[in-house]
Amino acid sequence: PKGRGMTGAQLPVQTPFERLTVRQALSRYAGITVRGDESLPEMRALSESIGCQVGGAAGWDDIFFQIFLDKVEPHLGTQRPTFVSDWPLPLAALARPKPHEPLTVERFELYAAGLELANAFGELCDPVEQRARFVAEAELRRQQGKAVYPVDEKLLAALAHMPPTCGVAMGFDRLVMLGTGAPSIRQVLAFADDEI
């Protein structure tokens, strides 16, 4: 990722962090509404309506992320750190649905100075729902001509015994970027992917 030129020393963290849902962020910065059950042609039409080029993007999530990266992410956390919550269902294969909102999952990301610093979600512990998601994902990959992986039966068996849980992944390298004002993640990594 590219930094936005603000260091941690310049970012006001003493004020309450901003909180936006994904839908609020898309409305504010891209001027569109996304439910989470749009067809692929509907997603392409949405991207075209706001001048977002998605090229040969094959999936719903590919189109969504191109829109999000182009139109939304550069604005997030620029005035103060921002939590972005309530992600559409197609974007969180292992996250549990939000109660009474079947097209939304319990997931949030934390942004500061246009950088995603953390990604978190409530774990889906329902083996029946998780199996249905795995099967749907496999079918989508098959339709797209991608490799199809077997269903992880051990994970599904373990889910039946797992208590409600959640997790947060924090990007230390991104914190270093923010703290130093580095414009590129390559400047804070010992070895980039293409150097290993």
Side-chain angles (χ1 to χ4, degrees):
K2 297 287 186 186
R4 307 289 184 230
M6 182 181 291
T7 67
Q10 298 168 321
L11 186 68
V13 293
Q14 72 281 5
T15 60
F17 289 6
E18 181 178 27
R19 295 173 186 266
L20 291 173
T21 66
V22 167
R23 288 168 181 90
Q24 289 169 331
L26 285 168
S27 176
R28 180 183 296 176
Y29 299 118
I32 61 172
T33 300
V34 172
R35 298 179 312 274
D37 63 352
E38 292 84 0
S39 67
L40 200 54
E42 287 176 299
M43 285 301 286
R44 285 191 178 283
L46 273 175
S47 68
E48 290 170 8
S49 74
I50 57 172
C52 184
Q53 303 300 313
V54 294
W60 192 101
D61 56 337
D62 297 323
I63 295 171
F64 174 90
F65 281 122
Q66 193 62 58
I67 292 169
F68 198 81
L69 289 171
D70 289 354
K71 303 293 184 179
V72 178
E73 196 169 84
H75 303 283
L76 297 175
T78 56
Q79 302 302 312
R80 58 186 169 153
T82 302
F83 286 106
V84 180
S85 64
D86 296 352
W87 288 74
L89 178 65
L91 303 175
L94 301 174
R96 71 177 157 248
K98 192 169 179 185
H100 313 297
E101 293 185 39
L103 294 176
T104 304
V105 293
E106 293 179 352
R107 174 181 173 192
F108 75 81
E109 291 185 356
L110 174 62
Y111 288 84
L115 289 172
E116 175 193 331
L117 298 180
N119 185 0
F121 58 89
E123 299 280 348
L124 176 62
C125 298
D126 179 346
V128 174
E129 172 65 20
Q130 190 62 71
R131 178 179 299 281
R133 290 188 191 181
F134 282 160
V135 168
E137 174 69 16
E139 180 55 29
L140 180 61
R141 291 184 67 84
R142 187 179 345 278
Q143 290 172 7
Q144 295 172 348
K146 296 179 180 178
V148 177
Y149 304 105
V151 170
D152 188 337
E153 296 295 341
K154 288 182 181 180
L155 173 63
L156 294 176
L159 287 179
H161 308 287
M162 196 163 119
T165 188
C166 61
V168 178
M170 176 73 83
F172 181 75
D173 48 1
R174 292 163 187 243
L175 284 175
V176 173
M177 280 181 70
L178 181 64
T180 63
S184 170
I185 200 164
R186 292 182 75 87
Q187 294 178 317
V188 301
L189 294 176
F191 301 99
D193 287 347
D194 60 351
E195 297 174 323
I196 297 176

